Amino acid sequence: MRPRPLLVANWKMHKTVEETRAFGRELARRLEELAGAGPLPEMVVCPTFPGLWPLSRTMVGTGVAVGAQNLDLGREGAMTGAVSGYLIAEAGAAWVIVGHSERRQHFGETDALVAEKVAAARDVRLTPIVCVGENEDEYRRGETGAVLDRQIGALLDRLSGEMWSELVVAYEPIWAIGTGRVPSPEEADRTAAGIRDRIRDRHGAVADGVRILYGGSVSPKNIEQFWRQPAIDGALVGGASLSVSDFVAMAMVGMNL
Ligand code: PGA
């Protein structure tokens, strides 16, 4: 039997603290109604930094985990504006998204920095969800494989086999993020399998334990086709995760797989 799928909400720069709490309370209520209906997917919600502590308090006892959307290197120190993994974990998060394409694009994060951040996350026992994927031009030119060689290669160079056993990779084609366009499920599956092969080439069977998510315009309508693919273990959802109803609808799809 396959493990429970993983459903991760990436709220990006959305929701005030009050809105975050309200989402959490409503989600808890809806999940209570579903109790006993079947195994739900594993769920992680990634709010803004100010939302971490209030959401983690609201989710206590629900089985829903909380994650951050980024971390900075180090623990504490003279780093104005930075938030370390240590502080994130202390604020009640167990997960962290690393190297999202928006971080790479707007904040200049390089493959090497992303790999460093993944290692830093593991140091404080946060589970990293590291994002990879090609942009529109690279996709058109058929360069997805080369992009993944570079992005996964940087991770392989930095991380030990043991670190991979606690890692989630999200394949997010940049041209599918927020656009309503998606690759075919078969194509996403082939790419996910290719990511696992790259890890297997270096670390053997450890690769089988790495969960690989698909992300990019996932919605209640299309999530099932991605989840049914053999190499895809879950979804990283942006826009559609901002509504409790859509989030619960996606969780229910996971329950019926
Ligand atoms: P989207 O975002 O679901 O709104 O396309 C996904 C993501 O950026 O993680």
Side-chain angles (χ1 to χ4, degrees):
M1 217 178 82
R2 290 183 73 180
R4 285 194 302 162
L6 178 57
L7 178 61
V8 183
N10 173 15
W11 284 357
K12 310 190 181 187
M13 198 166 68
H14 293 287
K15 292 197 193 289
T16 63
V17 166
E18 252 335 286
E19 288 164 348
T20 299
R21 273 211 200 91
F23 181 108
R25 282 193 295 263
E26 177 64 8
L27 178 60
R29 194 183 67 74
R30 303 280 288 270
L31 293 178
E32 212 170 290
E33 280 172 11
L34 287 174
L40 285 160
E42 189 174 356
M43 286 174 277
V44 182
V45 179
C46 304
T48 62
F49 281 131
L52 284 177
W53 174 251
L55 188 65
S56 69
R57 293 295 87 201
T58 313
M59 292 293 101
V60 167
T62 63
V64 177
V66 171
Q69 300 171 17
N70 175 44
L71 80 162
D72 290 298
L73 300 177
R75 181 180 163 101
E76 291 180 294
M79 292 287 290
T80 301
V83 183
S84 68
Y86 167 73
L87 296 174
I88 288 167
E90 206 270 337
W95 296 72
V96 62
I97 298 170
V98 186
H100 189 281
S101 59
E102 288 152 16
R103 298 290 317 171
R104 295 177 190 256
Q105 192 186 336
H106 303 307
F107 300 90
E109 295 198 3
T110 61
D111 294 329
L113 177 61
V114 169
E116 216 48 62
K117 287 187 171 190
V118 170
R122 287 306 306 135
D123 282 348
V124 289
R125 302 203 189 299
L126 291 170
T127 302
I129 302 165
V130 57
C131 301
V132 297
E134 80 287 355
N135 66 30
E136 174 112 50
D137 288 343
E138 291 159 342
Y139 179 69
R140 278 219 201 92
R141 292 195 298 260
E143 293 171 4
T144 302
V147 170
L148 294 176
D149 282 345
R150 197 190 74 226
Q151 292 178 334
I152 301 289
L155 296 168
L156 288 166
D157 288 345
R158 175 63 183 84
L159 307 173
S160 65
E162 193 238 326
M163 278 179 175
W164 281 96
S165 64
E166 296 293 334
L167 202 77
V168 174
V169 178
Y171 168 57
E172 296 206 306
I174 297 168
W175 52 271
I177 294 177
T179 60
R181 289 167 55 209
V182 292
S184 74
E186 294 75 23
E187 188 177 6
D189 186 61
R190 272 196 302 279
T191 308
I195 290 170
R196 188 167 281 116
D197 287 343
R198 286 170 175 82
I199 303 165
R200 187 177 291 111
D201 283 349
R202 190 81 63 98
H203 294 299
V206 170
D208 296 322
V210 179
R211 284 185 286 178
I212 301 182
L213 314 182
Y214 168 76
S217 294
V218 172
S219 70
K221 285 203 176 75
N222 66 18
I223 194 166
E224 179 166 0
Q225 54 178 5
F226 291 108
W227 264 347
R228 287 208 177 272
Q229 300 303 315
I232 296 176
D233 303 301
L236 177 55
V237 188
S241 73
L242 291 168
S243 132
V244 185
S245 297
D246 284 350
F247 189 72
V248 171
M250 291 185 282
M252 287 172 70
V253 170
M255 192 161 74
N256 295 318
L257 280 183

